[in-house]
Amino acid sequence: METPFGTWFHEVVVMTPGRFEEAVDAVLAVQQFKTVVLHLSAMAPEEAQRTIDFVSGGVFALDGQSERLGDTVFLFAPALVTISRDGDQEHED
């Protein structure tokens, strides 16, 4: 994909952090224009919530976006990526 900043090769990264300290890697990946699927099943619920709060805030600050895919699975994407779900369709007239 051509952007004003050159060619952009999209990458999706799947992360399963075991500790809160690994959450920064997800934010850095989005900052590098990667889409992150974050799977938090390996964390205690309290630590998983803290991780989601941190990553959500960091991605929001980067003008990125997020989507909850399941109980412990979240998608974080840079602003260049469009997230759509089943039933989300744009109609051109």
Side-chain angles (χ1 to χ4, degrees), residues 60-91:
F60 179 80
L62 296 169
D63 290 327
Q65 53 200 322
S66 62
E67 183 79 27
R68 185 179 190 150
L69 303 179
D71 289 340
T72 61
V73 182
F74 296 81
L75 178 87
F76 295 96
L80 297 173
V81 174
T82 300
I83 298 175
S84 60
R85 281 199 168 259
D86 293 346
D88 289 351
Q89 296 178 3
E90 293 184 25
H91 298 284

Side-chain angles (χ1 to χ4, degrees), residues 14-92:
V14 178
M15 296 182 174
T16 308
R19 302 176 307 132
F20 171 77
E21 291 76 19
E22 297 171 49
V24 71
D25 295 336
V27 177
L28 291 174
V30 173
Q31 184 181 36
Q32 296 167 359
F33 302 106
K34 298 175 184 176
T35 297
V36 175
V37 176
L38 195 60
H39 198 288
L40 300 173
S41 62
M43 299 177 118
E46 302 81 24
E47 192 170 27
Q49 183 62 56
R50 183 175 172 217
T51 300
I52 285 302
D53 292 344
F54 176 82
V55 176
S56 295
V59 170
F60 179 80
L62 296 169
D63 290 327
Q65 53 200 322
S66 62
E67 183 79 27
R68 185 179 190 150
L69 303 179
D71 289 340
T72 61
V73 182
F74 296 81
L75 178 87
F76 295 96
L80 297 173
V81 174
T82 300
I83 298 175
S84 60
R85 281 199 168 259
D86 293 346
D88 289 351
Q89 296 178 3
E90 293 184 25
H91 298 284
E92 293 194 24

